[in-house]
Amino acid sequence: MLYIEKAATPLIISENDIIEVISLTNEIRYFKFYVQDLRDHGILTVEDIYFAENVENLVIRIEINKPPASTVSQKEELVFPNTTSANILYWVKPNSWHYIEIKFQNETVQNKEEMSNLTFKIRYFSDILSDESNTLENRIIYNNSISKIYYNKMTNVIPYKHYDLVRESSTESFLFSFELEEELDSNVAVPINMTNGHFSLFKFNVREGSDTGGTLQFIMAFKPKIKRKNSRFIFVNEPEEHVIIACIRKGRMELPTWPNNCVSDRINKPAQLVLNKTVENSTILIPFPESGTWYATFKLFCGKCEPCNCSDDCQERYEACTINCELNCINGENCSYCAYDCRNIVIESESCAGCNCDGPCMKNENNTCNSSIVFDIGSQPCVSGRCSGNGRCMFMVSDGVVFSTCVCSNKYRGWDCSDDSLANPYYMVVIELLLLVLSNLMFLPAVYIAFKRKYYVESITYFSICFFSTFYHACDAGENIISFCLVRLSALQFADFFCALLAIWATIIALADLLPLTTSIFHMIGAIILAFCTTIDRTALWIFALPVLTGVFIVIISWYFKYRKVRQRFADKRYLYVNVPLGIVVVAVGLIMYAFLQTENNYKYLHSLWHIIMAVAIIIVLPKPNTFQPEILL
């Protein structure tokens, strides 16, 4: 059962608008605002808070792209009655709607007529550093890219380089790449220079629909270092202590931290890519990437990591300093220095000297290192445009959505059909093919016996089974490794099932011993009906039950009238008491095995045995020319 609760229609607000809220106790008020690009965080300033007597606290929640709830919110703040104002720092998602929930709360009483009120306004801030800085040691500026400072925690105040990637498309589906603008002009990979004092960010956009059906790949490798020694050029190995940690995520950037983590919203998770000397390159594959803005971040680490110990008190002092700095900066002035300056102010105090950190490690100003990397970000169908040798890359359509996927053979699994945990060994594939194909040769004695006993139509039918079943299994078996298809598989499958049903029908009609004209009529009617039924569902159990039950009914009626005509045994004694019961038992065993015992694992054995049993049953029950008395034909 699904229960849906619709939130009240939110009021749309803008930056710096002063909003007055008057609310009953436990009444929920919603507001929403849109955050544009180049915004990283915001401050919600709440002032003039008046609490009614029955209010226990004020709850303020902020969520991205949906109304917040008690269990889901990006930011939750409790304000108590002895407080008249509050500044709430929250992180935003660029180009997204954000929702605010305000509630004067009392969990023990229902809504009352007493009113509470407050006023609030919102401001957005960016961490882009101004190029007008003239103090290089305090304002970190890099050439050829926008410089920023990432901070959601005091220990994560780290400068980074920001690169907007340009899309380069191809005429083929799901084949495109993201490159630096310099690479489009030169058609040569441009290396990214890095130091351990900052990290780098790639930003790119995946379009909805046309870009989501392939596999997004992020490849990174150290740029080869070449030095000249005398008259020769030699390659220099990357230092062993150099490690690059990379993260990629849709909608929000993550901070790479030592030893192999990605941090976002103060949540750690394992990094998707760790590159060092022992790995020549490393790749992240993202099947069916979601549309939207993606962020790929990476950072160089070197040397040893000494644990960073920064107290919660220092973090609170840092946040208070940052909020106060940003709220008091003059409109039009760049407020992005606040985090960097407040960090320096806090760590200068003796009690917070241990907060001079780079993520979880103490920052070692004396140990600097640098390196260069080359990268590739793009999309290709399946995995790098292909599958392993055990599958085919195909385009599928589902509900109007086109996507690429690997169709595996021989029970291989996995995104690129490389998982062989359930695959059959090659020799088992050969055995399966030989069993299913060669077992059809048992119908050749049935063809000979039918022809010798002057059942010419039946002889042709049995030969058709042998022919079509042989080539059907030669095409279907072998797990697409050693298979041979004379024509398309669906045509061979139809012919195999139809001839098998027709052989059952023709054999049972032969048991009825009817007049030639009646026999030919039943043959034609049966062929038409069975062809129609085979087209509907050739693998259903009722398809086999239909000719068997109908034929048995015709045999019983025919033999009943034969007996009424002569009032004595009308067929050979051995045939009635030996061949017919034995044939019924053999056919029953075959049908039970085919309908109830056959599985995917034992298919090659039981289905091959089914071929042999049916051929033996035909030889047993097919009457001889002198089995029935000729004067009793009906």
Side-chain angles (χ1 to χ4, degrees):
M1 301 180 68
L2 175 64
Y3 295 91
I4 298 176
E5 182 179 356
K6 185 177 180 180
T9 303
L11 176 67
I12 299 176
I13 60 177
S14 300
E15 185 177 12
N16 290 321
D17 287 347
I18 299 177
I19 309 300
E20 183 177 3
V21 179
I22 302 175
S23 175
L24 297 170
T25 304
N26 290 332
E27 180 184 6
I28 300 177
R29 301 291 298 276
Y30 290 102
F31 305 86
K32 74 175 182 178
F33 57 94
Y34 188 79
V35 178
Q36 298 179 346
D37 202 0
L38 302 179
R39 296 291 186 268
D40 304 284
H41 66 284
I43 296 177
L44 176 65
T45 302
V46 186
E47 297 176 335
D48 303 326
I49 307 176
Y50 170 76
F51 292 88
E53 291 183 1
N54 61 339
V55 174
E56 295 178 347
N57 53 57
L58 168 64
V59 181
I60 300 177
R61 299 187 180 99
I62 302 175
E63 183 56 285
I64 302 170
N65 290 326
K66 59 185 177 183
S70 58
T71 56
V72 179
S73 64
Q74 191 267 345
K75 180 71 175 182
E76 179 175 304
E77 189 80 11
L78 293 179
V79 182
F80 295 95
N82 58 351
T83 306
T84 58
S85 64
N87 293 310
I88 302 171
L89 175 68
Y90 59 92
W91 295 92
V92 301
K93 180 179 179 181
N95 301 317
S96 301
W97 285 98
H98 293 63
Y99 291 78
I100 301 175
E101 176 189 309
I102 295 177
K103 179 182 180 182
F104 288 94
Q105 181 173 262
N106 188 327
E107 297 180 354
T108 60
V109 300
Q110 300 297 324
N111 288 7
K112 288 194 174 182
E113 297 298 329
E114 298 182 27
M115 295 289 185
S116 301
N117 63 273
L118 59 83
T119 59
F120 75 89
K121 68 176 180 179
I122 56 174
R123 289 186 63 185
Y124 319 136
F125 297 92
S126 172
D127 58 4
I128 299 178
L129 293 180
S130 172
D131 290 334
E132 298 175 357
S133 170
N134 55 12
T135 310
L136 189 60
E137 62 270 20
N138 293 329
R139 316 295 187 223
I140 304 175
I141 305 299
Y142 297 100
N143 295 326
N144 302 322
S145 64
I146 303 175
S147 292
K148 297 185 174 183
I149 287 181
Y150 176 88
Y151 63 98
N152 62 356
K153 194 176 180 182
M154 182 179 174
T155 55
N156 293 338
V157 179
I158 303 173
Y160 67 93
K161 291 183 179 180
H162 179 187
Y163 301 90
D164 281 321
L165 302 184
V166 181
R167 177 191 175 93
E168 185 176 22
S169 300
S170 172
T171 56
E172 298 184 27
S173 299
F174 313 127
L175 184 61
F176 55 89
S177 62
F178 298 98
E179 301 177 358
L180 297 171
E181 189 172 354
E182 297 88 336
E183 292 179 329
L184 296 178
D185 299 333
S186 61
N187 292 324
V188 177
V190 176
I192 302 296
N193 298 322
M194 307 176 61
T195 70
N196 62 333
H198 74 277
F199 69 97
S200 300
L201 165 68
F202 291 147
K203 181 181 176 183
F204 57 94
N205 188 63
V206 175
R207 298 186 304 195
E208 185 174 0
S210 60
D211 291 354
T212 58
T215 302
L216 184 68
Q217 61 182 19
F218 177 26
I219 305 174
M220 182 178 292
F222 284 110
K223 177 191 174 184
K225 296 182 178 180
I226 302 176
K227 288 187 177 181
R228 185 169 182 172
K229 185 177 182 180
N230 298 328
S231 59
R232 296 183 303 167
F233 292 95
I234 59 174
F235 287 95
V236 179
N237 292 330
E238 193 73 24
E240 293 184 2
E241 68 272 12
H242 283 196
V243 176
I244 291 180
I245 298 174
C247 313
I248 186 169
R249 180 177 177 179
K250 172 186 171 291
R252 184 178 291 276
M253 60 184 292
E254 295 177 314
L255 174 64
T257 60
W258 183 265
N260 57 354
N261 293 320
C262 296
V263 180
S264 178
D265 297 333
R266 303 186 184 182
I267 298 175
N268 285 352
K269 67 178 184 179
Q272 298 98 327
L273 185 153
V274 178
L275 182 65
N276 54 35
K277 176 187 174 183
T278 60
V279 180
E280 294 183 356
N281 62 64
S282 190
T283 303
I284 300 173
L285 297 178
I286 305 175
F288 309 136
E290 295 182 59
S291 59
T293 303
W294 284 76
Y295 299 87
T297 54
F298 50 96
K299 189 176 189 300
L300 174 66
F301 294 87
C302 58
K304 297 182 179 179
C305 175
E306 296 184 9
C308 171
N309 297 313
C310 186
S311 66
D312 293 337
D313 179 65
C314 296
Q315 174 66 23
E316 292 176 1
R317 290 166 57 186
Y318 160 75
E319 289 184 358
C321 175
T322 303
I323 292 174
N324 183 65
C325 173
E326 291 180 333
L327 289 178
N328 293 322
C329 68
I330 303 173
N331 290 336
E333 180 184 340
N334 197 313
C335 303
S336 299
Y337 304 130
C338 292
Y340 194 76
D341 292 341
C342 286
R343 173 186 175 276
N344 292 335
I345 293 173
V346 173
I347 64 175
E348 285 176 0
S349 64
E350 184 177 351
S351 59
C352 297
C355 292
N356 187 17
C357 305
D358 180 359
C361 305
M362 289 294 297
K363 185 176 293 185
N364 188 347
E365 305 290 352
N366 299 322
N367 183 18
T368 60
C369 56
N370 58 76
S371 185
S372 298
I373 60 102
V374 290
F375 73 95
D376 179 73
I377 297 179
S379 171
Q380 295 191 37
C382 298
V383 181
S384 299
R386 59 183 180 84
C387 305
S388 67
N390 308 298
R392 294 179 298 162
C393 182
M394 301 183 66
F395 287 2
M396 302 291 187
V397 180
S398 177
D399 295 331
V401 178
V402 182
F403 60 94
S404 63
T405 184
C406 288
V407 178
C408 305
S409 59
N410 191 23
K411 298 181 182 178
Y412 276 86
R413 303 188 303 170
W415 179 240
D416 62 343
C417 301
S418 58
D419 181 0
D420 61 351
S421 58
L422 298 179
N424 293 320
Y426 183 77
Y427 72 90
M428 289 301 299
V429 176
V430 175
I431 291 176
E432 177 183 0
L433 180 67
L434 293 177
L435 285 175
L436 292 171
V437 170
L438 297 181
S439 60
N440 290 289
L441 298 180
M442 281 298 298
F443 285 102
L444 293 179
V447 173
Y448 171 76
I449 291 176
F451 184 84
K452 185 177 180 181
R453 295 176 182 177
K454 298 182 181 181
Y455 290 101
Y456 302 116
V457 173
E458 289 78 359
S459 177
I460 295 173
T461 305
Y462 303 150
F463 179 78
S464 299
I465 295 178
C466 180
F467 180 83
F468 287 112
S469 183
T470 297
F471 283 99
Y472 166 63
H473 288 293
C475 181
D476 182 59
E479 305 293 350
N480 295 324
I481 299 177
I482 52 176
S483 58
F484 170 76
C485 295
L486 185 66
V487 293
R488 68 179 186 273
L489 179 63
S490 59
L492 291 172
Q493 187 186 48
F494 173 84
D496 176 40
F497 280 82
F498 173 69
C499 291
L501 294 171
L502 189 61
I504 294 174
W505 174 253
T507 303
I508 294 177
I509 294 301
L511 268 67
D513 192 39
L514 303 174
L515 292 172
L517 178 61
T518 308
T519 300
S520 63
I521 292 174
F522 276 118
H523 282 168
M524 183 57 64
I525 294 175
I528 294 173
I529 295 177
L530 291 176
F532 176 73
C533 294
T534 305
T535 305
I536 296 175
D537 188 353
R538 64 198 62 173
T539 60
L541 184 60
W542 67 269
I543 294 292
F544 289 87
L546 180 64
V548 171
L549 297 178
T550 306
V552 169
F553 178 75
I554 294 174
V555 170
I556 292 174
I557 296 299
S558 174
W559 285 11
Y560 171 74
F561 282 106
K562 286 178 181 292
Y563 177 78
R564 282 191 57 183
K565 187 174 183 178
V566 296
R567 295 291 180 180
Q568 63 180 5
R569 180 167 48 83
F570 53 85
D572 181 70
K573 181 178 180 180
R574 177 182 175 83
Y575 181 79
L576 285 178
Y577 300 130
V578 178
N579 289 44
V580 171
L582 181 60
I584 292 174
V585 172
V586 172
V587 171
V589 170
L591 289 175
I592 293 173
M593 183 179 63
Y594 178 87
F596 304 108
L597 302 180
Q598 190 170 275
T599 65
E600 185 178 359
N601 293 328
N602 62 24
Y603 175 80
K604 53 182 170 292
Y605 305 114
L606 293 190
H607 197 76
S608 300
L609 188 59
W610 155 265
H611 292 162
I612 297 172
I613 288 176
M614 291 299 101
V616 171
I618 289 172
I619 296 173
I620 293 175
V621 302
L622 195 66
K624 295 180 180 179
N626 59 351
T627 297
F628 298 101
Q629 298 179 18
E631 65 274 8
I632 316 178
L633 278 174
L634 294 180

